[in-house]
Amino acid sequence: MRINHKDYIPSPHYCSLRCLVLGEGLLSSMLSLLLMIISMVVLVMDNTWHLVMDMAELWLQENHWDIKVTHAVWKCLDWLDRNHKEVLVIIMVTTVMHFIFSLMLIFGTMFYRRIFLIPWMVSHMISIIIMIITFTCWTFMSFFIDLLLAIVFPVVGGLVLGLWIGMWRQVYHFSTILRDMDRQVLDMLKMQAEYQQVQEKTDKV
């Protein structure tokens, strides 16, 4: 008798959670692919990068901030302009890896392979940490830029960060269900092996 993970679905909630995780894998792969394409276009076409930098410099000139904050932003932009190719390559490599991990997440969800979920969970957790650091820094800087931005950005950033954390929690919950299913399958296989041994001894007697 062959044992399948499908025989150990714990509740109807599992099916909806599985569909949700599949949707998260598709969303994550599409976002990674989009960011990968944007990074590639900016890296290949220097005019696009110069256009972005000109817009950023014009925006800085039109907005009068605190002097120290303005100097710090100018230094960051100057460093980014000098090293933009290296930064874009790092972004591309990171997004390619996350795209592969997203495909592994979809594969692991479809074929009940918990081990394929782990790389995506690690990669997504790193992105959450980066988002928290970025969110904290930009929230602090927004108070020196504009009052409306100081109100809107924390709300929007908090919603995006909450969505990212919620996605990770759903995948983690699904991985724990798969872990419990794996344990049930192993226990059943062990019981079958013991039963076969007993049956063989009985037949010999």
Side-chain angles (χ1 to χ4, degrees), residues 10 15 17 38 46 72 74-75 82 110 138-139 142 148 166 173-174 182 190-191 198 200:
C15 297
L17 181 61
I38 293 174
D46 290 334
W74 275 111
K75 288 181 180 179
R82 286 184 283 104
M110 292 177 61
W138 274 104
T139 301
S142 63
L148 180 62
H173 185 206
F174 183 73
D182 289 339
K190 185 178 179 181
M191 291 175 60
V198 174
E200 289 174 359

Side-chain angles (χ1 to χ4, degrees), residues 139-174:
T139 301
F140 174 76
M141 290 184 61
S142 63
F143 288 100
F144 297 94
I145 300 174
D146 185 67
L147 180 60
L148 180 62
L149 184 62
I151 297 173
V152 173
F153 178 79
V155 175
V156 176
L159 290 174
V160 175
L161 184 60
L163 175 63
W164 246 236
I165 295 175
M167 290 173 61
W168 189 90
R169 289 186 61 185
Q170 294 296 333
V171 176
Y172 175 76
H173 185 206
F174 183 73

